[in-house]
Amino acid sequence: MLYLVATPIGNLNDITLRALEVLRSVDAVASEDTRKTGMLLKHFEISKPQIAFHAFNEQRAGERIENLLRQGQSVAVVTDAGTPGISDPGYTLVQRAVQANLEVTMIPGPTACIMAVVLSGLPTHSFTFRGFPPRKTVGRRKFMEVDKDSPHTLIFYESPYRVLDFLKDALEVYGDRPAALANDLTKMFEKVERGSLSSLIAATPESKLKGEYIVVIAGKGRETSSGADADDEG
């Protein structure tokens, strides 16, 4: 069995009992970062051989993992934090397993984008997860413009080094919509700032930002804080 195991995005107490059970039972753990996963396993007193599985070796490591599965072994896939396959390695392994008729399942758990959209105060009945945008301004704006007229709440991941530039481009593309900026979710200094894009820009310093950021932006015409559309009387 191939298990995709969600791990905490900050607070280790968010690990699920089932995730621990699976990590203790598998033959090997495929890790995006073996050092970080090693710390997680040690914290919960789990000792398992690790296989490095990341964006730069997905093909080679994927073949190795597939061979282990064919031999009847079980492998757990974990990323640095959160749910494998959501802006992290995992998708190609699921493809492999499905195409090879190998068993695959998932141990659900923390996902930063879901927590961010719920805490944003923006409509959650329909949303679009866009992941990480391109790094350069031209590509980033083209990436954003795809959803310019979308009625759905938009969710993006961004690096601390580019989040301010992202917000400025978002203001240019979407106008001054309601938005939220989440950082350090589940950690001691968890923070969610809410307001217009312009107010978030004004509140975001030029430097010394740390951690991964999640930006949530209201969809076109869906700018209320309730679950109903702005133009829905029902």
Side-chain angles (χ1 to χ4, degrees):
M1 176 74 79
L2 176 67
Y3 296 93
L4 276 74
V5 181
T7 54
I9 59 176
N11 192 321
L12 292 180
N13 288 329
D14 290 334
I15 192 91
T16 68
L17 293 176
R18 189 172 171 218
L20 292 175
E21 179 183 330
V22 168
L23 290 173
R24 291 185 177 116
S25 69
V26 294
D27 298 291
V29 177
S31 311
E32 182 182 11
D33 184 324
T34 55
R35 183 184 61 85
K36 289 184 178 179
T37 299
M39 293 170 63
L40 175 73
L41 295 176
K42 183 178 180 180
H43 180 82
F44 292 106
E45 300 180 342
I46 299 172
S47 179
K48 291 291 174 179
Q50 292 191 67
I51 301 167
F53 176 72
H54 46 71
F56 303 104
N57 76 342
E58 280 189 271
Q59 181 64 28
R60 185 175 70 256
E63 291 175 359
R64 180 182 175 189
I65 293 166
E66 182 179 342
N67 287 334
L68 291 176
L69 295 171
R70 289 184 181 277
Q71 293 166 21
Q73 297 192 45
S74 290
V75 178
V77 181
V78 300
T79 58
D80 290 353
T83 298
I86 305 298
S87 285
D88 280 325
Y91 163 71
T92 58
L93 267 183
V94 174
Q95 274 193 321
R96 274 183 177 277
V98 170
Q99 291 171 2
N101 290 317
L102 296 168
E103 288 189 290
V104 57
T105 191
M106 179 181 165
I107 311 304
T111 306
C113 62
I114 298 299
M115 186 172 178
V117 72
V118 171
L119 292 178
S120 71
L122 297 172
T124 58
H125 62 289
S126 63
F127 53 85
T128 301
F129 174 64
R130 298 288 277 133
F132 283 97
R135 298 185 175 196
K136 305 254 179 170
T137 296
V138 173
R140 188 164 52 229
R141 289 189 178 186
K142 287 183 179 179
F143 182 83
M144 292 178 177
E145 285 170 358
V146 171
D147 300 291
K148 185 175 181 179
D149 295 318
S150 171
H152 312 298
T153 300
L154 305 175
I155 310 169
F156 301 87
Y157 284 168
E158 190 51 281
S159 154
Y161 308 109
R162 294 183 294 275
V163 68
L164 185 56
D165 290 335
F166 175 92
L167 291 171
K168 290 176 180 177
D169 286 340
L171 179 60
E172 289 294 321
V173 173
Y174 302 126
D176 204 10
R177 295 187 189 180
L181 183 63
N183 175 241
D184 278 342
L185 293 178
T186 78
K187 299 179 184 178
M188 183 181 296
F189 299 106
E190 173 180 303
K191 189 174 184 181
V192 181
E193 294 191 64
R194 305 169 185 86
S196 63
L197 282 169
S198 61
S199 70
L200 293 181
I201 291 169
T204 302
E206 294 280 349
S207 60
K208 295 184 179 179
L209 299 176
K210 294 181 179 180
E212 186 176 284
Y213 283 79
I214 305 101
V215 184
V216 186
I217 302 173
K220 186 175 182 180
R222 305 305 203 254
E223 301 179 357
T224 65
S225 59
S226 69
D229 294 351
D231 55 358
D232 185 353
E233 296 179 357

